[in-house]
Structure formats: C-alpha cells, structure tokens
C-alpha cells in the first residue's frame, strides 16, 4: 500500500499514511462528516488547536493530536524537524477560514480533508488537515499540509 498523507509546504513533502485522492464535496453536504465536525464552529475548533500548537512551536502537543500511524512513521525528533521546516517556510499562521472538505477514496476506511484558507507571515496559503473517520462521532488526524 502506498503512503501519502503529507506534511507539505511549497515543494517539500513528507509521506505518512495511505494515499489520499480527494473528491470535492459541496460545503452543505455535511451529513457524512463525523458529528463532531459538522458545523463550521466545530471545524474551527480543530483548526485553532492545530494552529495554537504550531504557532507556539509546541511540537509535542502537536504530535499528540495525530493518529498512531504518524507516530509509527516518525518519532518525536523526526516530527520536530519536519514541522520546523514547515514553519521556516510559512511562519506564523495569523488567521484562517474553513473553505470546504474533500472525501478521499479509500477501500479500508473513510478519509477526508478539511481545507482552510490561511494568512501567514509569508502571505496567503492553504492548510489541509487529513482526517480518518472512526464511527459517527470520532476521527483521527492523519496529517496536514501547508502550501501556497
């Protein structure tokens, strides 16, 4: 099985999990998202959690948000190096807004990507948070990427 959840900024990327091949879904079609992510407010709580750890360079806190698949692929020191490279290229995330989500095609479990438009020290960029759904309410974060 190919690995393909990314930590991306510009042309740098790091593979973590199963391949994500998304299909854009209309923003109003939320019945398939986990219940805990169906409203924009709930999606922004997740965004704020990631951004707070990222901006404060709390790598251990950020690392603990992610699924065990990431922790098998990268130990904390390797993860720290990856995130520092991302931070060096993007800088601080100053604000953001949810734009849409995309469903992935995966025969083993349901994956989707939450997409945000963000403003960083380097300008306008995109943050994509890759999620694996577990039941109606639960989900696990598989990875994220930032790109322009």
């Amino acid at each position: 099985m190919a690995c393909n959840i990314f930590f991306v900024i510009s042309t740098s990327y790091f593979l973590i999990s199963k391949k994500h091949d998304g299909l854009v879904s209309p923003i109003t079609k939320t019945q398939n998202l986990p219940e805990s992510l169906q409203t924009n407010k709930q999606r922004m709580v997740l965004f704020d959690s990631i951004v707070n750890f990222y901006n404060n360079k709390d790598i251990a806190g950020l690392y603990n948000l992610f699924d065990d698949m990431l922790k098998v692929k990268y130990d904390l020191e390797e993860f720290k190096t990856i995130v520092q490279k991302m931070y060096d290229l993007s800088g601080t995330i100053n604000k953001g807004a949810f734009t849409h989500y995309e469903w992935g095609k995966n025969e083993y479990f349901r994956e989707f990507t939450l997409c945000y438009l963000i403003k960083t020290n380097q300008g306008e960029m995109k943050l994509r948070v890759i999620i694996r759904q577990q039941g109606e309410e639960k989900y696990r974060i598989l990875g994220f990427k930032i790109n322009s």
Side-chain angles (χ1 to χ4, degrees):
M1 292 190 306
C3 287
N4 246 5
I5 296 299
F6 306 103
F7 284 91
V8 177
I9 184 113
S10 299
T11 57
S12 304
Y13 63 91
F14 304 89
L15 302 175
I16 293 180
S17 165
K18 295 173 95 44
K19 184 174 181 175
H20 174 80
D21 182 18
L23 296 174
V24 175
S25 298
I27 199 167
T28 56
K29 187 180 175 191
T30 57
Q31 69 270 16
N32 291 328
L33 291 175
E35 288 181 20
S36 56
L37 290 173
Q38 287 194 3
T39 69
N40 194 53
K41 182 176 180 180
Q42 292 166 319
R43 292 184 288 259
M44 291 309 294
V45 167
L46 173 62
F47 172 84
D48 290 341
S49 298
I50 292 170
V51 170
N52 286 334
F53 286 124
Y54 182 80
N55 283 347
N56 291 318
K57 297 184 181 180
D58 182 352
I59 305 304
L62 188 60
Y63 188 74
N64 288 328
L65 289 178
F66 290 91
D67 189 80
D68 291 339
M69 289 191 322
L70 175 129
K71 295 171 185 169
V72 168
K73 184 76 174 168
Y74 298 106
D75 66 28
L76 182 57
E77 287 304 310
E78 292 170 311
F79 182 74
K80 186 181 221 178
T81 302
I82 292 166
V83 173
Q84 186 59 51
K85 287 178 184 178
M86 291 175 70
Y87 192 86
D88 291 344
L89 293 169
S90 71
T92 301
I93 298 172
N94 300 312
K95 59 183 171 179
F98 175 76
T99 59
H100 66 284
Y101 68 91
E102 300 171 356
W103 278 106
K105 292 180 181 178
N106 189 312
E107 60 187 276
Y108 300 105
F109 50 81
R110 296 174 76 180
E111 287 180 5
F112 58 93
T113 301
L114 299 177
C115 304
Y116 301 87
L117 181 63
I118 59 174
K119 182 80 168 190
T120 72
N121 293 350
Q122 303 301 318
E124 192 175 282
M125 297 183 151
K126 296 174 185 140
L127 170 69
R128 299 167 62 85
V129 181
I130 298 88
I131 305 277
R132 177 176 62 185
Q133 187 169 348
Q134 295 180 314
E136 290 302 312
E137 296 184 31
K138 297 182 181 180
Y139 61 88
R140 301 292 296 192
I141 301 171
L142 299 176
F144 71 100
K145 63 181 173 179
I146 297 173
N147 55 15
S148 51

